Amino acid sequence: LPNPVVHSVSVTIPANGLNNAISFYDISGKKVKEVPVSLSTQTIDLSTLQAGLYFYEFSSKTATFQGKIIKK
């Protein structure tokens, strides 16, 4: 399982993925947050999300990344 997140998470994005967005979804599949990506290393504030399991998705022209985050 992924490591729990309390307030924020840091992500590293490949250079070809800049100017896209990371989307976060709750367990029902509803998009609860979308964050524009403008830096190769970026800290994303998740403090407004309720505790629980979330899924994230990031897509660029060459790849799509998906994963899980547990919010404490």
Side-chain angles (χ1 to χ4, degrees), residues 5 8-14 16-26 30-46 48-49 54-61 63-69:
V5 172
S8 62
V9 63
S10 292
V11 295
T12 302
I13 304 296
N16 64 353
L18 298 180
N19 301 317
N20 289 299
I22 297 176
S23 298
F24 293 87
Y25 302 88
D26 65 15
K30 178 183 173 189
K31 186 186 290 187
V32 294
K33 188 172 187 82
E34 185 172 275
V35 179
V37 176
S38 58
L39 302 170
S40 59
T41 300
Q42 188 161 328
T43 300
I44 299 173
D45 180 12
L46 299 177
T48 59
L49 298 180
Y54 293 90
F55 301 94
Y56 65 85
E57 180 177 71
F58 170 78
S59 295
S60 70
K61 292 180 182 178
T64 297
F65 302 96
Q66 298 174 328
K68 300 175 193 173
I69 289 180

